[in-house]
Amino acid sequence: MSTATKQLDYHTIRAIMERFQEADPEPKGELDHTNVYTLVVAVALSAQSTDVGVNKATRALFQIVDTPQKMVDLGLEALTDHIKTIGLFRQKAKNVMKLSQILVDDYDGIVPNSRAALQSLPGVGRKTANVVLNMWWQQPAQAVDTHIYRVGNRTGIAVGKTVESVERAVEDNIPADFQLHAHHWLILHGRYHCKARKPQCRTCIIRDLCEYKDKTE
């Protein structure tokens, strides 16, 4: 993947964020959930899987399970059967059961709202914790996935050689008044426009502001 030659300046990044905001003022995540607990489960299941695939697998599950205790009562075998269509389903099922039991035993069934507490749960890494903090508690946490890593480097919005450095670049370079929605704007831009193999540069709303050298016609 080609990377940007330089980190964009403040004024250019602000102009990009203004265009994203005008096009989609209230961007939403695409994982279906009914409350913060099912959001945690959905995000944990989404690792190395598509949101569409996770939504299909959890549609029936979340109709009967929406609390940690209900998940524990459901049991590992039944959960595994529900999510068997997604990648790494056996290990993910074990993690979901373990995190649900911990929530019941240590948190009275309530999902904690600190990054450290969330990351202490099995199957919940920094990215998952940041998604939950951002989507549910409206914290300006930046969950860097492959889309954000690609878009950040290609465009020059957030240049970095690692996921952690791109996360810091997003936090450091995107103006504070756009931080809350930056995560979703960048993910959605990468998913539908700035695609890995065939970026849709011709119809891109930030084409003239982007540093990507290999723009498609």
Side-chain angles (χ1 to χ4, degrees):
M1 180 192 74
S2 298
T3 58
T5 57
K6 64 179 181 179
Q7 174 71 50
L8 291 173
D9 63 73
Y10 171 85
H11 297 290
T12 304
I13 293 175
R14 171 166 280 282
I16 287 173
M17 292 298 121
E18 287 173 347
R19 290 187 190 180
F20 284 155
Q21 184 179 58
E22 183 177 358
D24 189 2
E26 295 290 335
K28 304 295 182 184
E30 296 184 323
L31 281 173
D32 294 339
H33 58 282
T34 60
N35 56 27
V36 65
Y37 170 69
T38 55
L39 176 60
V40 171
V41 172
V43 179
L45 294 177
S46 71
Q48 299 182 48
S49 302
T50 65
D51 289 359
V52 172
V54 172
N55 290 341
K56 183 177 179 180
T58 59
R59 189 169 297 120
L61 175 65
F62 290 162
Q63 290 179 359
I64 58 175
V65 172
D66 59 0
T67 68
Q69 186 61 60
K70 289 180 181 179
M71 187 67 78
V72 171
D73 293 341
L74 180 69
L76 178 61
E77 184 176 348
L79 172 59
T80 302
D81 189 58
H82 272 283
I83 66 170
K84 62 186 178 183
T85 57
I86 65 176
L88 305 174
F89 68 96
R90 295 189 189 280
Q91 184 58 50
K92 289 178 180 178
K94 292 177 182 177
N95 285 337
V96 168
M97 293 307 297
K98 289 177 182 177
L99 74 83
S100 299
Q101 190 66 64
I102 291 172
L103 290 175
V104 170
D105 294 341
D106 299 343
Y107 296 95
D108 296 322
I110 299 172
V111 176
N113 62 351
S114 79
R115 182 182 288 109
L118 286 168
Q119 284 189 244
S120 72
L121 299 173
V124 177
R126 185 178 180 87
K127 185 181 79 170
T128 297
N130 282 347
V131 171
V132 175
L133 290 171
N134 181 273
M135 288 182 63
W136 193 262
W137 283 293
Q138 301 292 291
Q139 292 188 22
Q142 306 302 331
V144 176
D145 66 354
T146 55
H147 296 302
I148 292 182
Y149 184 85
R150 179 176 67 255
V151 172
N153 278 294
R154 267 186 183 170
T155 61
I157 293 171
V159 176
K161 294 183 178 180
T162 66
V163 168
E164 291 76 15
S165 62
V166 171
E167 180 181 326
R168 288 194 298 272
V170 171
E171 294 173 345
D172 290 346
N173 294 293
I174 292 179
D177 46 325
F178 297 107
Q179 285 280 328
L180 179 61
H181 293 315
H183 158 247
H184 281 126
W185 282 326
L186 294 175
I187 283 180
L188 295 172
H189 191 65
R191 184 173 292 166
Y192 298 110
H193 303 286
C194 195
K195 299 177 182 180
R197 295 185 180 180
K198 294 183 178 180
Q200 309 297 303
C201 300
R202 186 174 61 84
T203 57
C204 177
I205 64 172
I206 63 168
R207 178 188 175 101
D208 58 314
L209 302 174
C210 168
E211 282 291 310
Y212 186 44
K213 292 182 177 180
D214 302 322
K215 290 186 176 73
T216 57
E217 294 301 323

